[in-house]
Every structure is written in structure tokens, then in C-alpha cells.
């Protein structure tokens, strides 16, 4: 696939008489054109094994290009910019690279040659537009299933060993069967774009397991996709044939080039001041991400790179995108709900059909923006997570819980909710650990247990961690089931992190980003199959009852647990409630949440047995 549709993006078709060529490496029958944006004269570097051939590029309005008639798809290349010609730079528009990134101190040392330790980009195949991508399969309101691609199948007994930990493994029949049993609407893949370890990890013997430290926005990490873009495209097609969409979790808020002492790998070497935001008073890098740098979305060139990246993945068949630390996209420097990036996405004929999901917070000024994104964007709702946990922990009211179950109308307005409801995610305690640990236990991360969220609204039911006490184990099982049943009974889109349906644990580690090992790899052979069957029953009920949409509750009847209609003054003291809703075919949905007995009962009027 080509990194750009020639009709969109930074320039027109890369013909010789066009002043602003398409960025990236564009192959044709007559050779390959290379074009890159750079602040200083730039050289194309072509590789045949360890042999490097350099070709000077011609600059026009900050874009450097060269036509190479002898270069065809599969060739390896990089760039060197005059700002520090010792540094080999990866093309920001690369869509495949020949090896993963690996941190090395030399990457951050000016004047030290890095050709031997930096991945080379691969010239892609000649562009074939093919058919227009199909509309998104995923519909808001359904279940999103969050997956760490590597950890999901590293211990899966049915997946061939050579395929474990890859994108292709998601298409295995056993995986598909599991997803279908849960009625998954879309898998949400945690970052698959090639990333680099944070520099403090290698000395600790650790590595990044989550991928939230990318270098260039389109190149898939070879560890996850040995087959490159074709592997992603085929897996998406197989999932789609099973009725399952695909959402990508993308990181556009920063890059793995990090702070001023970080590695020079791509954008920093090409044009540091274009790509990264700086404070006007002292010219220091802005750090709205906690990672040392922040991409500057006030620059149209940065937004163009992001839009082109989204189009690249949409053409591969992706249904939508989840944006990590999404307020950065709308900073200029403060958050603006009418930011240019929102208009540009909405105006794009392809992207306007995709599902957009914001993680609506970062650590910058005014960084908490839940409810502030465009009307068509979904948003991760951490207030849902916290309030549901607090109710079952015993320190939130039934009224607060009812607001969350009904779609969080205090946050989202209009005809329907844009809430993505979740009770646990990749970041924070697993669901099982939420009811087994009152405090985080992150010592294995090498940061003296200072990293990760401090307040998790968790509880341990009388013993920290594993317990041999049958009563404690029973209480924890009831709590997990109550949390899950509440989630599946709620209006809005719901999100479940892979493994929480069968009791995954990280042994109290609530920030397992650096645990690329059995701490974060799912243990399929020891899973709780009873809990798994329970979640499948919840999924079936949600589907059959028609709760899998984003409409706010209308014609809802709220009752005391004892039967009479709930009065406005009773919500703060009530230990729960019974909610009755009209369903299809004249039936009635009954949702009964009883905090005292740790039980949620879900039923249709003609079906009196409970699934909880």
C-alpha cells in the first residue's frame, strides 16, 4: 500500500513537474520518488546490507525530494539531515521498517553516527487504490474489547508458537470463537505502531510492553506484524467476516524521541521546531504528556501527517481510532473544542465515516476535557469507572450510580450518550485486582512503587492479594460479577479489557507497561471459565434486551428495591434500585442493583431467572 492516497494529504501526485510531491517513498513503474519535509538540506541514504549509498535531494519550500529510477519496492532507505548528518533518520511517512527500534545511548549523542542501530524504512509496493474501504462495521453502543496484541496470545495454547504475540494470531479460529461468544463489536488494539523503550527501562532489565512510545506514526512494529501491512489488512478482513470490527489505539500526542536528552530518530533530526511544541518564554519543550515532548498541533504540517496516517489505516480496513491523551490534538496552546484537526477529520470523505474515540485528558493546563469533544466523537468516561467502583466499594450513592448506568447525562448532552463505559482498562488495576488490592504493588517496575495511579477506588475484601479464605474469595467473585453486570446493563458503548472476563491478574501491579512477561501475558490455561460463561450470558442479555445502543434512557421507571417508585429524596440513602425499561415486542427489561447483597439481577419481563 502507498503511504498516501495521491488525491489527498500534503501534495498532489508525485509527477516530475509537480512542485509539492507526495511525502514518503512512492514507487511506480519508472522507479521511486522520495520526498521528506526537513528544515535543512537532506540526503537520501539507500542500503544494500551494510553498504550505504547517499543521494543529495533537491529542496523546495521545505520539502526535499529525489527521483531514483533504479529503486523498486522492497529497497531499504533512510535520511540524513544537515542539522546533524551523523544521525540516520526514519521517514515519518514510512509504513514498514526492517527491524524494531532498540534504545541505545548513542541515539541521543550529537555527532555520533547511528546508521548501524536505526531501522531502515522499506519502499512500499506500487500503489493500488483497489476498492473503496467498506463502511465501519462497529456501531457505537456495542462492546469494545481492548487487546494488548503481544500479551493476548503469548500463552494461548491453541495458537501456533511461531504466531503467538502477533496481529495474525487474532485471526486464529480459537480467538475468533472467543470474541464471538462475548459478542464483541470491535477489538481495540493497543498501539501497534513501532515504538522504542524509554531510556530508563533497559538498565532495569525491562522493556515497554504497551507501545505508547511511538517513533513514526504509520510503520507497524515488526514484532507484532512480521508480515507488515498485509498482515494487518488480512487480519482485519478475517475479523470483519466474523462480524467484528477493528479500532486502533494511536499515540499522536508525543513521540519516542522524548525530552531534550532523548534519541534523535526521525522528526527531531528533520525539523525539531516544526514537530514539537515549545514554551514561548524560554523555548523549552512543552511536556503536556509526561513523556518529555508534545507534538504541536497548531502546525498544519503536523496535522497533515496525522490525517494522512489515519487515512493510511482506514484504507487497510480499520473501523475507527482511539486517541491517547487526546486534548493534545486540540491544543494551540490551550484546548479548543473547535480546533482545526476536528474540522479536517470531519471534512475528509474517508475519515468522516470512521469512529473516533478520545481519551479526554492529559496533564497539560486545562487537561481534563471529558464531554468537550465533537458531537460525533465517543469519549472514555473515567467518572463512570470511578463512580461504579465507589458504589460497590460502599462510598457512592445509588443516585450517582443511576446517572452512570443511564448514560451520564450530566456529562454528555443531546439525543444520545457519547460515553465509553468501563470498569477497568489496560491502565490501572485489572478487574480482579480491583477487588483484591487496596494499594498498588508496582515494585517490579523499578520506580520504588511511585508510578501508576495512586487512587484506584479499589478494595481488598479483608486481605491484600491472594487469599485462601473461602469467604473472601466468594465476596471477591460477587464483587467482580456485580461490576461486570453493571457495565453490561449500562447505556452507551462499553469497553472490556481482554482477560477481565476470566479473572486476569497482574498481582497488584496497576502500571504494567514495562512488564513484557507473564505479569501482563494472559494465562489462558488457568482462566476462570465460570466467570467467562457469566460474561457471555451478560453479552447475550445486552444484545437480546436491545441495550447495545447509545440512546439515553426514556420512559424509565425507577423503583425502590422494596417495590414502590423511587422518590427524589431517597437516592442518597438507598442501597440500590430497580430500573424497568420497555423492550422490544412489548417486553420489559428489569435491572435490579442491590448493593447490600452484592447482586445485580437482569431479566426480561417474561424471563424471571437471573443471569447474576
Amino acid at each position: 500500500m502507498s503511504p498516501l492516497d495521491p488525491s489527498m494529504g500534503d501534495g498532489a501526485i508525485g509527477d516530475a513537474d509537480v512542485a509539492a510531491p507526495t511525502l514518503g517513498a512512492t514507487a511506480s513503474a519508472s522507479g521511486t520518488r522520495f520526498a521528506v519535509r526537513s528544515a535543512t538540506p537532506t540526503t537520501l541514504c539507500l542500503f544494500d546490507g551494510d553498504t550505504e549509498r547517499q543521494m543529495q535531494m533537491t529542496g523546495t519550500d521545505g520539502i526535499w525530494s529525489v527521483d531514483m529510477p533504479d529503486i523498486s519496492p522492497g529497497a531499504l532507505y533512510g535520511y540524513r539531515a544537515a542539522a546533524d548528518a551523523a544521525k540516520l533518520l526514519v521517514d515519518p511517512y514510512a509504513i514498514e521498517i526492517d527491524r524494531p527500534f532498540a534504545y541505545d545511548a548513542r541515539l541521543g549523542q550529537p555527532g555520533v553516527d547511528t546508521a548501524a542501530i536505526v531501522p531502515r524504512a522499506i519502499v512500499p509496493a506500487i500503489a493500488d487504490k483497489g476498492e473503496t474501504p467498506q463502511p465501519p462495521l462497529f456501531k457505537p453502543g456495542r462492546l469494545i474489547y481492548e487487546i494488548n496484541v503481544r500479551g493476548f496470545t503469548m500463552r494461548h495454547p491453541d495458537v501456533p508458537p511461531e504466531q503467538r504475540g502477533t496481529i495474525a494470531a487474532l485471526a486464529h479460529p480459537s480467538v475468533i470463537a472467543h470474541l464471538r461468544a462475548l459478542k464483541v463489536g470491535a477489538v481495540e488494539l493497543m498501539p501497534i505502531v513501532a515504538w522504542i523503550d524509554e531510556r530508563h527501562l533497559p538498565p532495569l532489565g525491562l522493556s515497554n510492553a504497551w507501545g505508547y512510545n511511538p517513533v513514526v506514526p504509520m510503520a507497524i512494529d515488526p514484532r507484532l506484524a512480521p508480515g507488515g501491512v498485509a498482515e494487518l489488512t488480512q487480519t482485519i478482513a478475517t475479523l470483519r467476516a466474523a462480524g467484528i470490527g477493528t479500532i486502533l489505539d494511536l499515540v499522536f500526542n508525543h513521540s519516542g524521541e522524548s525530552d531534550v536528552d532523548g534519541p534523535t530518530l526521525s522528526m527531531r533530526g528533520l525539523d525539531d521546531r516544526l514537530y514539537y511544541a515549545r514554551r514561548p518564554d524560554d523555548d523549552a519543550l512543552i511536556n503536556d504528556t509526561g513523556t518529555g515532548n508534545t507534538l504541536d498541533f497548531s502546525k498544519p504540517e503536523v496535522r497533515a501527517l496525522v490525517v494522512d496516517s489515519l487515512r493510511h489505516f482506514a484504507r487497510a480496513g480499520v473501523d475507527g481510532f482511539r486517541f491517547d491523551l487526546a486534548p493534545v490534538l486540540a491544543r494551540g496552546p490551550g484546548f479548543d473544542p473547535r480546533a482545526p484537526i476536528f474540522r479536517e477529520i470531519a471534512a475528509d470523505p474517508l475519515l468522516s465515516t470512521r469512529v473516533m474515540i478520545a481519551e479526554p485528558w492529559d496533564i497539560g493546563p486545562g487537561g481534563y476535557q471529558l464531554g468537550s469533544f465533537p458531537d460525533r466523537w465517543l469519549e472514555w468516561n473515567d467518572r463512570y469507572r470511578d463512580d461504579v467502583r465507589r458504589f460497590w466499594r460502599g462510598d457512592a450513592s445509588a443516585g450517582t450510580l443511576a446517572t452512570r448506568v443511564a448514560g451520564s447525562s450530566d456529562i454528555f448532552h443531546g439525543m444520545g450518550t457519547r460515553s465509553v463505559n468501563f470498569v477497568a482498562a489496560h491502565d490501572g488495576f485489572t478487574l480482579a485486582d480491583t477487588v483484591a488490592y487496596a494499594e498498588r504493588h508496582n515494585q517490579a517496575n523499578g520506580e520504588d512503587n511511585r508510578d501508576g495511579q495512586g487512587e484506584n477506588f479499589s478494595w481488598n475484601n479483608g486481605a491484600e492479594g491472594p487469599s485462601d479464605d473461602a469467604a473472601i474469595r466468594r465476596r471477591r467473585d460477587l464483587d467482580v460479577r456485580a461490576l461486570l453486570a453493571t457495565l453490561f446493563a449500562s447505556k452507551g458503548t462499553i469497553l472490556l479489557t481482554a482477560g477481565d472476563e476470566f479473572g486476569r491478574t497482574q498481582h497488584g501491579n496497576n502500571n504494567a507497561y514495562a512488564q513484557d512477561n507473564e505479569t501482563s501475558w494472559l494465562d489462558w490455561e488457568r482462566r476462570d471459565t465460570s466467570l467467562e460463561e457469566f460474561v457471555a450470558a451478560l453479552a447475550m442479555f445486552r444484545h437480546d434486551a436491545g441495550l447495545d445502543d447509545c440512546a439515553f434512557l426514556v420512559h424509565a421507571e425507577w423503583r425502590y428495591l422494596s417495590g414502590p417508585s423511587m422518590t427524589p429524596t431517597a437516592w442518597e440513602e438507598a442501597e440500590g434500585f430497580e430500573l424497568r425499561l420497555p423492550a422490544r415486542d412489548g417486553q420489559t427489561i428489569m435491572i435490579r442493583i442491590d448493593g447490600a447483597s452484592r447482586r445485580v439481577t437482569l431479566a426480561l419481563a417474561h424471563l424471571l431467572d437471573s443471569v447474576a
Side-chain angles (χ1 to χ4, degrees):
M1 298 181 64
S2 169
L4 284 174
D5 181 333
S7 66
M8 300 297 297
D10 234 289
I13 297 174
D15 298 328
D17 59 345
V18 176
T22 298
L23 294 178
T26 305
S28 67
S30 59
T32 301
R33 163 166 280 200
F34 297 87
V36 64
R37 189 181 301 282
S38 177
T40 59
T42 299
T43 301
L44 171 67
C45 305
L46 298 164
F47 292 90
D48 183 0
D50 293 330
T51 302
E52 178 179 346
R53 175 163 63 113
Q54 297 187 359
M55 297 295 297
Q56 185 58 49
M57 307 175 80
T58 301
T60 303
D61 296 329
I63 296 178
W64 300 80
S65 63
V66 63
D67 291 292
M68 299 296 295
D70 61 331
I71 299 301
S72 57
L76 304 180
Y77 74 99
Y79 298 116
R80 294 183 188 270
D84 186 349
K87 292 289 181 274
L88 183 69
L89 306 173
V90 180
D91 187 351
Y93 276 78
I95 63 172
E96 291 186 21
I97 55 177
D98 70 335
R99 72 196 79 172
F101 287 95
Y103 182 79
D104 188 298
R106 290 172 289 175
L107 296 169
Q109 296 170 358
V112 176
D113 194 286
T114 57
I117 54 176
V118 170
R120 291 88 189 265
I122 302 173
V123 175
I126 296 174
D128 179 9
K129 288 186 178 181
E131 298 180 0
T132 302
Q134 294 177 293
L137 188 67
F138 173 75
K139 302 297 183 185
R142 298 187 65 196
L143 170 64
I144 296 175
Y145 188 74
E146 186 188 36
I147 291 176
N148 177 329
V149 172
R150 181 166 165 79
F152 185 62
T153 57
M154 286 297 289
R155 303 170 71 185
H156 198 299
D158 296 337
V159 174
E162 66 275 9
Q163 198 179 55
R164 292 175 187 170
T166 69
I167 290 172
L170 304 181
H172 189 277
S174 290
V175 173
I176 296 289
H178 182 75
L179 299 175
R180 287 175 60 88
L182 299 178
K183 296 199 174 298
V184 170
V187 293
E188 180 176 295
L189 309 186
M190 289 169 60
I192 63 172
V193 170
W195 69 86
I196 190 168
D197 289 336
E198 293 83 352
R199 66 177 177 271
H200 72 279
L201 293 180
L204 296 172
L206 300 173
S207 60
N208 190 311
W210 287 355
Y212 289 94
N213 204 36
V215 178
V216 292
M218 300 186 213
I220 304 174
D221 198 291
R223 292 168 292 191
L224 301 184
V229 176
E231 181 172 331
L232 173 65
T233 303
Q234 182 56 55
T235 299
I236 290 172
T238 302
L239 289 167
R240 187 180 184 91
I244 301 164
T246 302
I247 295 169
L248 296 187
D249 188 344
L250 296 177
V251 181
F252 291 126
N253 51 74
H254 79 285
S255 91
E257 292 183 307
S258 186
D259 59 24
V260 68
D261 296 318
T264 296
L265 298 164
S266 179
M267 293 181 282
R268 168 164 290 156
L270 293 167
D271 197 339
D272 183 57
R273 293 185 174 278
L274 170 68
Y275 289 104
Y276 299 120
R278 293 178 175 272
R279 294 201 305 246
D281 52 347
D282 60 4
D283 204 39
L285 286 167
I286 289 175
N287 185 17
D288 288 340
T289 63
T291 58
N293 60 14
T294 302
L295 288 181
D296 189 351
F297 275 81
S298 71
K299 305 289 181 57
E301 298 86 352
V302 173
R303 299 196 303 272
L305 174 60
V306 168
V307 169
D308 291 336
S309 300
L310 296 176
R311 287 182 56 80
H312 163 65
F313 286 118
R315 286 194 302 275
V318 168
D319 291 59
F321 306 95
R322 183 261 191 190
F323 297 89
D324 182 64
L325 302 182
V328 169
L329 278 65
R331 287 197 182 282
F335 179 85
D336 183 356
R338 298 169 299 281
I341 189 65
F342 298 142
R343 296 196 302 271
E344 291 160 2
I345 290 174
D348 187 279
L350 177 55
L351 298 183
S352 61
T353 67
R354 305 295 106 170
V355 177
M356 302 290 166
I357 306 173
E359 181 186 42
W361 51 79
D362 62 29
I363 64 170
Y368 190 75
Q369 293 294 334
L370 179 63
S372 300
F373 281 75
D375 289 344
R376 293 189 63 250
W377 284 53
L378 304 180
E379 300 183 37
W380 273 35
N381 187 352
D382 62 329
R383 286 181 60 184
Y384 178 95
R385 174 199 64 197
D386 294 348
D387 287 342
V388 171
R389 287 186 180 187
R390 290 180 60 230
F391 175 83
W392 289 108
R393 189 173 71 167
D395 53 68
S397 71
T400 299
L401 180 66
T403 299
R404 299 291 160 251
V405 168
S408 296
S409 61
D410 57 333
I411 300 170
F412 305 101
H413 309 287
M415 296 299 295
T417 180
R418 297 186 293 107
S419 181
V420 177
N421 303 319
F422 61 102
V423 289
H426 70 272
D427 190 8
F429 279 135
T430 70
L431 184 58
D433 288 353
T434 297
V435 303
Y437 293 89
E439 305 292 339
R440 63 192 175 197
H441 294 268
N442 297 353
Q443 289 81 1
N445 295 350
E447 299 181 42
D448 296 324
N449 205 34
R450 295 190 304 268
D451 62 304
Q453 299 179 32
E455 177 54 83
N456 296 274
F457 301 107
S458 61
W459 60 101
N460 62 18
N461 279 295
E464 192 76 353
S467 175
D468 293 328
D469 187 292
I472 290 176
R473 293 200 306 272
R474 174 59 179 162
R475 177 69 176 249
R476 288 175 178 174
D477 183 63
L478 286 173
D479 287 351
V480 165
R481 289 173 182 246
L483 287 161
L484 286 165
T486 304
L487 176 67
F488 277 80
S490 297
K491 297 296 288 184
T493 302
I494 62 173
L495 179 139
L496 182 71
T497 295
D500 279 347
E501 71 274 22
F502 53 69
R504 74 179 178 112
T505 178
Q506 292 176 170
H507 311 291
N509 191 322
N510 76 349
N511 189 33
Y513 81 101
Q515 300 299 318
D516 186 14
N517 51 46
E518 292 187 355
T519 297
S520 62
W521 298 350
L522 298 193
D523 187 350
W524 290 88
E525 293 189 323
R526 297 173 59 188
R527 67 189 191 271
D528 184 340
T529 55
S530 174
L531 182 61
E532 187 177 326
E533 291 168 359
F534 172 77
V535 176
L538 290 175
M540 181 64 74
F541 176 85
R542 181 176 175 86
H543 175 267
D544 290 348
L547 290 172
D548 50 354
D549 62 41
C550 291
F552 281 121
L553 293 184
V554 293
H555 308 301
E557 181 183 355
W558 301 90
R559 298 188 176 196
Y560 287 96
L561 292 174
S562 57
S565 296
M566 185 74 78
T567 62
T569 58
W571 283 107
E572 291 303 314
E573 300 299 327
E575 293 185 317
F577 54 83
E578 182 177 299
L579 169 62
R580 295 190 179 186
L581 302 167
R584 292 185 288 254
D585 301 325
Q587 301 175 82
T588 298
I589 302 166
M590 190 267 285
I591 300 170
R592 180 181 175 85
I593 296 180
D594 186 344
S597 67
R598 324 300 292 172
R599 184 171 292 275
V600 178
T601 303
L602 309 177
L604 293 173
H606 72 279
L607 184 67
L608 299 180
D609 54 313
S610 167
V611 300

